[in-house]
Amino acid sequence: MNVLVFADCQDGKILKSGIEAVSYASRVVEQFGGTLVTATYGTEDSSELEKLGEVGAETLFVSKTNQGTPWSLTEYLSALVRERNIELVVLSNDFTGKAILGLLGSKLDAGAVNNAVDFPKNENGFTVKSQMFSGKAFGEVRITSSIKIIALLPNAVGTVSNPKSLSIKYFEGDFNSRIKIVEEKKLETGGTVPLPEAELVVSGGRGLKGPENWGIVEDLASTLGATTACSRPVSDLDWRPHHEHVGQTGLAIRPNLYIAIGISGAIQHLAGVNGSKTIVVVNNDPEAPFFKAADYGVVADAFEFIPKFTEALKAHKANNA
Amino acid sequence: MKILVAISKVPDSTSKISFKDNNTQFDEAGIQFIVNPYDEWYALVRALELKENLGGAVTTITVGEANADPVIRKALAIGADDAVRIDAEPVDALFTANQIASFARDKGYDLIMFGKETINYNGSQVGAMAAGLLDLPYVSNASSLEVSGSSARLERDIQGGSQVIDVDLPAVISASKGMAEQRIPNMKGIMSARKKKLEVVAPIEAPRHTEVLSYSLPEAKSEVKLIDPDNPTELIELLHKEAKVI
Ligand SMILES: Cc1cc2nc3c(=O)[nH]c(=O)nc-3n(C[C@H](O)[C@H](O)[C@H](O)COP(=O)(O)OP(=O)(O)OC[C@H]3O[C@@H](n4cnc5c(N)ncnc54)[C@H](O)[C@@H]3O)c2cc1C
Ligand SMILES: Nc1ncnc2c1ncn2[C@@H]1O[C@H](COP(=O)(O)O)[C@@H](O)[C@H]1O
C-alpha cells in the first residue's frame, strides 16, 4: 500500500507530532508493503528535514511557498496523492491535521479515521483503533474506500529510529488558501513544550483558590520541565489562559505524567486526561473522584505538600545530574 | 445574514459510556442526549448574535432520526428561527457532510457553522468535509467571528498560538471555545420553540466509507497507591523507578 505521510512544521521546525506520524507511516509500509512518500513545508533547513529521515522517510517533498492553511495543504497533499498513486494518507491528529482531514477526505472521496491510537489491521478489512467519546472509549473502525486517511493521536505509538537516506524534492508553486492570514499570535509559553506535545504536565484546579496561588504549580512545573494545564472553571474564571484548559471541551492530552492538583476529577475533566500514562492526584479530600483514576494519590493540602514535593525533586535532580 | 448551523445530538457529557450487542452498539439506556456543546454554546449562540446585530435568519440542520427532535427543539428554544432534519442515521462523516452540503448548496447561506467536533465521535471532520464538497473557504477552530459586509474576520486556534484570518463570504466555519457564551433558554423561548418549523427532508444517496465494527473501554486502572504526604521522596522514587516517567 503506497502511503503518503504529512509532517507539520511551524516556525521552520518540524513538529514532534509530525515526526511521530512519519515513524508510524514507515512502520505501516513495513507491515503492508508499498512505498512511503513524506511531505512537509515551511523549512529547507537540512537538520530539521533530517529528523524525518531518522524515522524512516526516504522520498521527501518540501513545498517551498505553501502558506500552511487548510486548503493550500489539502491541495498540496491531493496533488501528491494523484501523482504517486497513494492509497493511504497519514496525518497527525494535531491542530493542522484536524483542519485538513475532512477537506482531504471530501476531495479524495476517502474514508477518514482520526484519533488513531494503534497500527492498522487487515483481518476484517482495513481497520484501525480510534479513541472516541472524548477518551472514554475506543472503536475499531473499518475504512472501505479505495483511498484511506488516518490521523494519528499524538503520543500514542511513539517513534522508533529507522534511519534512511533522504531524497529531497522541492515542490514548486503555491496553492490557493481562500483565506487571508492577517496576523499570527504566539502563545507565551516561556519556552516550555506546548501542551499537546508535552510529556510531563502539571495541572491545577479550583482547589488552588485563586490565580495568585499558581506559583506552587509553576515552580513544580519548571523543576520538572513540565507544561502547565488547568481545569475548565479555572480558565472560565480567567485565573489561567484558555489554551491551558484540558478536558472534554478543552484539549485532550496524553502525556507520560499528569499531576493534578486541587482538581476533583469530574468525568468531563477525566475525558481529556485519562489517556495519560501515569496520573498523580493531590487533593485534600480523600473522597475526590479523581483518586479512582489515579496511579498515585496524595491526600494532602496542596499548599503544604507541593512546595515540599518540589524541594525534594530539586534534591533528586541534583543527585541524578 | 442567512446562517445555517449544523447541530448534532450527543450523549450528555456526564454519561457513563457502555456498549451492548457484543460491544457493537452504543448502549443508549439511561443516557440523556444534548446538543453537542460546541454546536450549541459557540456556533449557534454566535449565529444568533450576528442575526441580532445584522438581521437575517438562523436555521439549524441535523442529520438524524426522529429521536433527534428533542435536542433540535432545544436549539429552537435558544433562538434559532427554524430547523431542518435530514432523516437518516448519521453513521459516517462523509455521508453526513454530503447531506448537509446537498441541502445547503443552492440556498444562499452566507455562513455555514459547525462545532469544532462532536463529543461522541470527536471526528472534527463533518464541517471540513462539507466545506470541501461545497468548495467553500473553511476556517477551523475559530474562537471569534466578526462579520462586516461580505467578509468576516476570525481568530483561529493553531498549535502554539492563533491566527487572525480574513475570509470572503460565503464560508464554512468550525467554532471552538471563546466564540460566544452559553445561553440558557427561557420560558418564552421554550414555548415558542414548539411552534417553530422543523422540516424533515429525505436523505440523498451518498457513500459510507467508514463503519465502527466494535467498541472497547479503556483498561481499568489498578487501585491507586496512596503516598504519605510527609514523605514526598517516596513519590519521587515511585515516579522514577516504578513508573519511569521522570
Ligand atoms: C458540558 C460540560 C463540559 C465540561 N468540560 C470540562 C472540561 O473540558 N474540563 C474540565 O476540567 N471541566 C469540564 N467541565 C466541568 C466539570 O464538570 C467540573 O465542574 C470541573 O472539572 C471542576 O473543576 P475543578 O476540579 O477544578 O473544581 P472543583 O470541582 O471545585 O474541585 C476542586 C477540588 O480541589 C480540592 N481542594 C480544595 N482545596 C484544596 C487544597 N487546599 N489542597 C488540595 N486540594 C484541594 C477539592 O477537594 C476538590 O476536589 C465540563 C462541564 C460540562 C457540564
Ligand atoms: N449528525 C449531524 N447532524 C448535523 N451536524 C453534525 C452531525 N454530526 C456532526 N455535525 C456537525 O459537524 C461538527 C463536527 O462533527 P464531527 O466531525 O463528528 O466531530 C459538529 O460539531 C456538528 O456541527
Side-chain angles (χ1 to χ4, degrees):
Chain A
M1 139 173 273
N2 294 336
V3 179
L4 170 68
V5 56
F6 171 66
D8 194 20
C9 170
Q10 247 173 27
D11 303 322
K13 296 259 181 289
I14 307 281
L15 295 186
K16 188 178 137 209
S17 52
I19 296 170
E20 194 178 354
V22 174
S23 178
Y24 176 89
S26 82
R27 284 180 276 170
V28 171
V29 167
E30 267 170 28
Q31 186 190 349
F32 287 83
T35 59
L36 178 66
V37 177
T38 304
T40 188
Y41 73 105
T43 180
E44 293 173 41
D45 177 348
S46 57
S47 64
E48 281 301 310
L49 299 177
E50 267 316 319
K51 290 181 184 167
L52 301 174
E54 287 301 315
V55 292
E58 292 187 81
T59 306
L60 174 64
F61 285 92
V62 181
S63 173
K64 280 190 171 181
T65 45
N66 208 302
Q67 283 207 359
T69 57
W71 266 116
S72 67
L73 291 174
T74 299
E75 288 180 9
Y76 169 41
L77 297 178
S78 310
L80 288 174
V81 165
R82 280 189 294 269
E83 203 172 285
R84 294 272 158 166
N85 282 321
I86 298 297
E87 297 153 278
L88 172 68
V89 182
V90 175
L91 307 170
S92 174
N93 204 71
D94 51 18
F95 281 91
T96 304
K98 282 188 202 172
I100 62 181
L101 179 70
L103 291 175
L104 205 55
S106 58
K107 196 137 178 118
L108 301 171
D109 192 23
V113 172
N114 72 338
N115 286 318
V117 293
D118 205 349
F119 294 95
K121 292 197 197 79
N122 220 349
E123 288 153 19
N124 290 309
F126 184 91
T127 65
V128 64
K129 185 175 179 182
S130 158
Q131 181 179 291
M132 294 178 176
F133 295 96
S134 305
K136 294 179 200 168
F138 300 97
E140 191 74 28
V141 189
R142 175 154 65 198
I143 316 180
T144 51
S145 48
S146 53
I147 300 177
K148 305 166 172 64
I149 310 178
I150 293 178
L152 175 69
L153 203 64
N155 215 9
V157 298
T159 51
V160 294
S161 166
N162 178 16
K164 291 275 164 63
S165 73
L166 268 189
S167 139
I168 297 174
K169 302 181 198 310
Y170 287 99
F171 207 94
E172 302 292 337
D174 194 14
F175 296 101
N176 187 351
S177 286
R178 299 171 203 217
I179 58 176
K180 194 167 138 240
I181 302 172
V182 181
E183 190 191 339
E184 295 221 304
K185 299 181 185 170
K186 291 265 164 284
L187 293 177
E188 284 309 326
T189 55
T192 56
V193 186
L195 199 44
E197 302 210 333
E199 287 176 0
L200 306 173
V201 174
V202 180
S203 188
R206 200 151 49 182
L208 286 161
K209 313 275 190 298
E212 66 282 4
N213 295 328
W214 242 260
I216 58 170
V217 175
E218 283 172 343
D219 282 349
L220 173 57
S222 68
T223 305
L224 273 171
T227 303
T228 50
C230 68
S231 68
R232 188 175 112 200
V234 165
S235 72
D236 282 353
L237 290 162
D238 277 331
W239 294 359
R240 298 296 291 176
H242 284 296
H243 63 82
E244 284 198 359
H245 157 202
V246 294
Q248 185 144 14
T249 44
L251 279 175
I253 56 172
R254 27 191 313 120
N256 294 339
L257 174 62
Y258 184 75
I259 303 183
I261 307 170
I263 304 177
S264 57
I267 193 159
Q268 298 98 345
H269 184 85
L270 296 181
V273 303
N274 59 9
S276 310
K277 300 214 168 71
T278 300
I279 296 178
V280 176
V281 169
V282 181
N283 196 306
N284 62 359
D285 173 8
E287 301 297 320
F290 218 147
F291 285 117
K292 292 205 175 63
D295 298 281
Y296 304 109
V298 188
V299 180
D301 181 350
F303 299 104
E304 283 174 24
F305 177 75
I306 296 300
K308 278 197 287 185
F309 180 53
T310 306
E311 282 316 306
L313 256 176
K314 284 182 184 155
H316 167 85
K317 291 230 150 177
N319 289 337
N320 284 275
Chain B
M1 290 294 292
K2 235 183 122 175
I3 308 176
L4 184 66
V5 183
I7 59 166
S8 57
K9 167 191 147 211
V10 297
D12 167 56
S13 62
T14 55
S15 307
K16 197 166 173 293
I17 305 298
S18 59
F19 304 103
K20 59 178 189 184
D21 299 346
N22 214 358
N23 288 324
T24 58
Q25 296 290 325
F26 174 62
D27 188 354
E28 298 198 351
I31 298 279
Q32 271 277 109
F33 285 94
I34 58 169
V35 182
N36 184 44
Y38 294 104
D39 312 353
E40 179 192 317
W41 303 349
Y42 309 127
L44 176 61
V45 174
R46 187 65 194 134
L48 295 172
E49 289 169 356
L50 290 172
K51 176 195 134 175
E52 284 154 11
N53 295 334
L54 305 166
V58 175
T59 300
T60 67
I61 185 165
T62 302
V63 180
E65 294 168 318
N67 57 17
D69 287 350
V71 307
I72 298 174
R73 293 281 171 207
K74 167 101 187 280
L76 292 170
I78 292 169
D81 296 286
D82 55 0
V84 174
R85 177 167 62 79
I86 313 282
D87 194 15
E89 203 191 338
V91 278
D92 169 76
L94 194 56
F95 174 85
T96 304
N98 259 302
Q99 305 305 327
I100 296 172
S102 137
F103 177 85
R105 188 158 281 122
D106 307 314
K107 304 226 168 38
Y109 291 106
D110 301 292
L111 277 170
I112 306 179
M113 298 180 61
F114 291 80
K116 79 161 188 181
E117 65 179 32
T118 45
I119 63 170
N120 47 354
Y121 291 108
N122 310 115
S124 11
Q125 293 185 29
V126 176
M129 284 176 166
L133 294 166
L134 292 164
D135 206 24
L136 287 177
Y138 174 60
V139 183
S140 63
N141 238 339
S143 60
S144 77
L145 162 64
E146 299 296 335
V147 172
S148 60
S150 64
S151 71
R153 172 160 292 192
L154 300 104
E155 191 153 339
R156 158 178 182 247
D157 294 334
I158 58 169
Q159 171 117 340
S162 62
Q163 287 174 334
V164 179
I165 301 278
D166 279 348
V167 63
D168 288 333
L169 302 182
V172 177
I173 300 231
S174 88
S176 72
K177 184 177 178 179
M179 186 178 274
E181 297 282 340
Q182 181 180 11
R183 281 189 186 177
I184 311 292
N186 56 24
M187 213 45 213
K188 187 162 152 266
I190 295 167
M191 297 306 283
S192 68
R194 293 191 194 150
K195 284 176 245 123
K196 288 179 178 169
K197 189 167 131 208
L198 195 172
E199 184 189 355
V200 180
V201 175
I204 58 156
E205 272 305 311
R208 290 179 167 91
H209 287 327
T210 59
E211 82 193 280
V212 183
L213 298 185
S214 62
Y215 295 95
S216 57
L217 294 172
E219 274 174 47
K221 284 255 176 199
S222 50
E223 187 84 350
V224 58
K225 239 182 223 180
L226 287 181
I227 308 291
D228 174 6
D230 293 323
N231 190 3
T233 316
E234 185 193 350
L235 179 56
I236 293 167
E237 288 294 311
L238 287 167
L239 292 176
H240 185 57
K241 298 215 174 94
E242 188 176 80
K244 299 193 171 58
V245 287
I246 60 170

